[in-house]
Amino acid sequence: TDAVTASLIVVCMALMGLFLFFTMAIITIHDRQGSLSPMAKTFFLRYMAKCLLLGDLTEKKVASDDGETGPSSRKLTNRVSPADAPEVVDVQSPADVRETARQPPTRLEVPVSSASRNMEELAEAIKNEQEVSDYTLLAKVLGRLCLVMYVISIAVAVPMAVYLGK
């Protein structure tokens, strides 16, 4: 059993080193600009992505209302423009306003204001998101493929080490 454990450790370390080199290549691919060849795009971004449960990554990029494009852009439904918003009329006397201003915020107002600030920052970040290149999507597919291949190779290495150790 000691020989089996030792050989399994050596095999796992070798696989980890091999997949580390693959990961470095994928990181290099991730930052490239441009577009893939149609055949590579079809194979990796359509068929391989579907096999790896990522969905079809070759879908046409549809522009949303904000002019944003890319697979991550989605149309927001039930948007209310400022012109359609109902007019709010607050009837308070100046004394009521001064009294309200002196009161400290309630427990609920602080988290709500913090959450609304965070939502505004998130919406701004989504608007400023750059278009996703084909190479970024390819890196995503290849990264998932490496993960699946690593798990499969470990799953195969364990029974092989036990079998060969007998």
Side-chain angles (χ1 to χ4, degrees), residues 88-147:
V88 177
V89 179
D90 192 12
V91 185
Q92 286 185 342
S93 68
D96 292 339
V97 172
R98 275 186 249 118
E99 185 63 33
T100 305
R102 278 189 231 143
Q103 295 175 353
T106 64
R107 289 176 146 183
L108 183 61
E109 288 175 358
V110 174
V112 168
S113 66
S114 174
S116 66
R117 255 193 329 269
N118 290 341
M119 290 299 289
E120 290 170 2
E121 291 172 3
L122 181 63
E124 188 65 31
I126 289 174
K127 285 181 183 178
N128 293 337
E129 183 180 329
Q130 295 178 351
E131 184 175 335
V132 178
S133 72
D134 288 343
Y135 284 103
T136 304
L137 297 174
L138 176 65
K140 184 176 184 179
V141 170
L142 292 176
R144 179 76 60 97
L145 179 64
C146 279
L147 175 67

Side-chain angles (χ1 to χ4, degrees), residues 20-35:
L20 180 67
F21 285 117
F22 290 157
T23 303
M24 289 178 3
I26 291 169
I27 290 171
T28 303
I29 289 172
H30 181 273
D31 291 331
R32 283 190 171 176
Q33 296 297 320
S35 104

